[in-house]
Amino acid sequence: MNDPNIKKFKVIPEVPKKLKGLYDIAYNLWLYWNPDAIKLFIRMDDQLWDKTRHNAVKMLAEISQERLEELAKDEAYVVEVARLRKKQEDYIKQLNSKTKNKKTCIAYFSLEYGLTEALPIYSGGLGVLAGDHIKASSDVGLHLVGIGLLYQFGYFRQYLNQDGWQQDFYDVNDFHNLPITEVNQEDGSSVEIEVKLPDRSLFLKVWKLEVGRITIYLMDTNIEKNSEADRKLTGQLYSGDREWRLKQEIILGIGGVKLLEQLEIPFNVIHMNEGHSSFALFERARTLMSKHGISFDQAMEVTRKSTAFTTHTPVPAGNDEFLPALIQEYFQEYVKDLGISMEKFLGFGRVHPGNLQENFSMPVAAIRYSSYVNGVSRLHGQVARKMWRNLWDQVPLEHIPIRSITNGVHLSSWLSFEITELFRRYLGDHWQERQDQKEVWERIQNIPDPELWRVHSVRRRRLIYFIRARLKKQLIEKGASQMLINQSQEALNPETLTIGFARRYATYKRGNLVFRDMKRLMKLLDDPLRPVQFIFAGKAHPQDNAGKEIIKHIIHSINNNNLIKQIVFIEDYDMNVARYMVQGVDVWLNNPLRPQEASGTSGMKASANGGLNLSIPDGWWDEAYDRNNPNGWSIGSGETYADRSYQDEIESKAIYSIIENDIVPLFYDTISDGLPRQWIKMMKNAFISVVSFFNTHRMIKEYAERFYVPAGRNFINLSEDNFKCARELVEWKNYIKENFYSIQIGDIYYDAKNIYKINDRVKIDVEVFMGNLKPGDIKVDVYYGAIAPDHILIDTAIENLQEFTPLEGNKYRFSGYLHCQKSGSFGFKVRVTPYHSLIMDPYEMNMVIWK
């Protein structure tokens, strides 16, 4: 309990005037992707840098006054502080000049952000991707603002007991020692956002975080106005029961939009990173209704046309959904403001709106009311279309409007200092601004093999030394014997082929797959001439006992076989451990059950640092692996088996075989000059083929071009002239809903007997009885493709029949041509869909007639 009688104050060192620029650098996370700025704080006190978990703000609060005075007398240090502060200012000014005239402002909602280990408000891949998204948005000059929650305890930390069982503990985040600042009103009082909950109001304090030129606003419930229970709502990430999660998502979605309105941030595009923020859709509509006097349907139309939704979850069980009774409890008053019934509101989150027993699904609501929806890899897009196909019951699978934008990584955040300097010398000073251009990466061939290998070997050694230090710390904290501690300092060999595996320990990721055949594994480890060693790291969710069992199995396998020198498990995985690993391993191992890995990005980070991937062709690797110009290894060809045990057996054997027959010989084949020339060639292939595409520079440009710019344009078009277009579009849609199925497709004419040759055209005429509609209200298309052995169409395409001729009554003939470009047997069907210039996809209204 907080004692209200305690009066608080804080004492910090006085930073000399010459070093005041350190505060500006520390309070902007630009610091963490600029090596010279990081080195500035390492020079200040390298041990304190590590002790504070690389928290520059905390360092400035804890460093001794004597050390600051000493640095102020170091002329070179003072000059460096001034140079880097100027560099930071120039970066922000340059990007502000890029964005000040842009009409599109994106509000990016995410429940977690992985920006730096110094700010632990993330759990894993989703948050790290969000962090990289924000950093890259700053780099390319997007006008974007982030919305999230500020957690008092963040995500859990990890240690393993003597039996290898994961134990969870939490650090308390001292907000005043983090790179965040309170958002205040002009009179100096705190900005507070009010959100209605059943029988009470919840008040949200607002903090801001500067990431380059992007601001992220973070909401916090731990203020005195709230009840003791409500103050804990932003205590932890991904904890509590379903009601707790619902309240967090109300804060994120509804509270987030209220925050933007209260701070008068003129956003016109929403991007939801996963479905956690889906309630933002309804709050935005409510706000538009209140401010502009438009109807709920009109407001939702504007919202839909200017919203993007990214799904990261390839299995239905991983998506948030809530019982109808819980939604009714929390939204019974809210729906009155929307002017709709509770049944209609619940239907927005149901695959089958009329099924009163179905739960309210956050991603279903997000998909329904976002015109721009994507999975995070090409394969995941396919998986997502299958998973949500019931939302479009008459639409061919390949036409379901869920696209793919493959993830990337923010290179500047993940590259080692050494590889960054190597790239600067050989790719040019401005390579980072052109990192998505393959021709830039082809300059990799200019790096001499010895120089590239030397840099990679240095990073492997640094990884090993880092691992030994962590092992020593782990063992001392466990009260291990001095003998065991001494042994840990001989763990791993800096010259040995090193394979890394680090990720969340969910069962589908199969973290212990390589331990399936210990005899074969130990043969690899114990080879006297060509040994292999492994580094493992990662956490299981606190409630995932099956994941904890996998970690325990790994620890038992190491201990029972006395493998401490050849296999290590590093506890308390975070972004710092991840950086050391991706920068130092030779091979990055990834063996999920396909197709359950939506994307994955750790392997991209390893590739960017010269590591090679050994992976199941799942997520990003399914599109990155190049068999013809080898850039790594694929475990199988994407086969799936009904028997999980059989699949594990097949794929574990494949891993052993690839390591034995391909990886080990390639790594140790040093010919006469001591260099593994073919290995280095594969490293360079990976730089050119992988890193040139799988970066956030390309990813952000793709989001901007395909989603943000058209979504922003939609908002402007629909809102002009007091939302005239929005009103007309809703009126038109209502008319179409009433009359669309009065249409009938009549006779279809084409020469079925003729044999066509390549480059011929097939004339097709379709008679359509228009019912109560006009030709301009619809599109008549030919859906065609090759005929597969099971008599379905494959490799399909669409050809619009643009010409139309009036016939008797309200009948029209629509005409066009199919172009014969390939040989084989082909077929087609005719479809009719509603058409309006502001409809984003032919299936937007989920109305279609086939014949």
Side-chain angles (χ1 to χ4, degrees), residues 416-433:
S416 70
F417 293 166
E418 295 84 358
I419 204 81
T420 300
E421 176 57 22
L422 195 66
F423 288 168
R424 186 195 65 77
R425 291 208 312 272
Y426 288 95
L427 304 187
D429 287 338
H430 303 291
W431 71 268
Q432 287 163 314
E433 298 168 17

Side-chain angles (χ1 to χ4, degrees), residues 45-177:
D45 187 329
D46 59 345
Q47 293 184 1
L48 187 58
W49 176 249
D50 288 336
K51 180 185 173 184
T52 59
R53 300 184 75 190
H54 305 164
N55 183 340
V57 171
K58 192 173 184 181
M59 276 192 75
L60 292 174
E62 294 188 2
I63 195 163
S64 70
Q65 190 68 46
E66 293 75 17
R67 178 57 178 157
L68 285 172
E69 298 297 341
E70 183 181 330
L71 289 168
K73 295 174 183 177
D74 183 338
E75 186 176 343
Y77 192 82
V78 171
V79 168
E80 185 68 351
V81 170
R83 183 184 74 84
L84 288 167
R85 175 57 188 139
K86 178 68 164 54
K87 182 179 178 182
Q88 183 190 58
E89 282 182 326
D90 290 346
Y91 170 86
I92 293 169
K93 287 177 182 176
Q94 176 193 15
L95 290 169
N96 277 334
S97 68
K98 286 183 181 180
T99 61
K100 67 181 179 181
N101 295 320
K102 291 189 176 180
K103 294 181 179 179
T104 299
C105 176
I106 306 102
Y108 183 86
F109 288 73
S110 183
L111 200 57
E112 54 173 299
Y113 290 94
L115 293 149
T116 163
E117 60 274 15
L119 187 64
I121 56 171
Y122 65 96
S123 72
L126 178 71
V128 173
L129 186 279
D132 280 10
H133 191 111
I134 295 292
K135 294 172 186 175
S137 296
S138 175
D139 286 343
V140 303
L142 271 191
H143 191 189
L144 182 145
V145 58
I147 301 293
L149 305 187
L150 183 61
Y151 303 100
Q152 188 74 59
F153 299 98
Y155 199 55
F156 78 96
R157 296 187 63 187
Q158 173 203 56
Y159 73 93
L160 305 182
N161 67 16
Q162 295 288 353
D163 194 39
W165 189 256
Q166 175 179 294
Q167 306 292 305
D168 317 319
F169 70 99
Y170 293 86
D171 285 339
V172 178
N173 285 329
D174 178 1
F175 295 165
H176 296 285
N177 271 330

